[in-house]
Amino acid sequence: MSDRITVFKGDGIGPEITDAVLRILDAAGAGLEYEIFNVGEAEYEANGALIPDEAFESFEKTRVLLKSPITTPVGKGFRSLNVMMRKKYDLYANIRPAKSNAAVKTPFENVDIVIFRENTEDLYAGVEELVDKDTAHSIKIITRKCSERIIRDAFEYAVQHGRKKVTCVHKANIMKISDGMFRDIFYEISKDYPQIESDDKIVDNVAMQLVMHPQKFDVMVMPNLYGDVLSDLTSGLIGGLGLLPSSNLGSGYAMFEAVHGSAPDIAGKGIANPTALLWSACMMLEHMGKMDCAARIRRAVDQVLNEGTATTPDIGGTAGTEDYTAAVISKL
Ligand code: NAI
């Protein structure tokens, strides 16, 4: 029997990379049935809702969502649907693995970092107000409950995956109460994991060290905004946003998406790299217990990247999304 999953096609490059990924999943024999929905601004203009009710109902039934990027207007318009989904379903753990691939040349080798980004609070709580016409406030929220669960997940991951160290990233020298609490909780929880090395660093120092000595970092845990910024940085270490997958996990629900956005600058040109969404789909298969299928797809991608003849322009190739997809399928 097939497992059903919910799929949001997104916009920009979303539909192109979704089609590529679903074709590869089918060719790999993933045994999935898809409930596919259009979401975002175009859907709003066509049907009056950014995310149709049936799409929410589908996710509430399947509990697994493969989500393509959605455009968010900057500085005006509707609030981010990504942030809304994370909050609505309490998808508190955003896990973003950045691992070097020998076939993708960058100035850095042997990067293997997993960022645990708290996904529901911090400045993303969206508590903003205009105090007067020249003064705006945005409130940073850090709670014990949300800090404890993401920090514990990071340590549990380290144990389960044979990792050696967990680094807490913060700015507690300035935000002594909020980030100070995050850091204190980190050290409280670290006592339950004496076999894992634990340390903490200030976020600006981390930004510098990541581009000087990325190999020093292993598992990292941090509040929402730092995780957003530093995970884009780690994608740069391994070859760019086209290669960084993520899972967003909460109690009972799981959403898998590429870290990148809808890339309007290349949308419709047939050159988007679907690898980040494909690796997100592999994380989804692993979450669903379909380990063999995920491993098969990962091997096929590695082969295509190593051969280098069917890779997309963002990682130095000349192939389009279609050629890359066909190449991966041919290796399965
Ligand atoms: P972006 O990630 O869409 O693009 C940044 C740069 O990376 C662009 O030059 C783009 O062409 C390139 N790029 C990204 N993904 C690529 C891929 N798969 N293949 C090849 N090149 C790729 O970031 P940007 O431009 O800041 O945001 C565009 C829109 O996406 C905004 O509306 C933003 O709010 C939204 N966004 C949505 C996210 C989501 O749905 N999870 C996450 C991040 C941004």
Side-chain angles (χ1 to χ4, degrees), residues 13 67 69-72 82 241 257 260-266 273:
I13 59 169
K67 182 190 147 293
I70 304 173
T71 304
T72 308
N82 307 305
L241 280 167
E257 61 177 346
H260 63 72
S262 56
D265 54 338
I266 57 165
N273 185 353

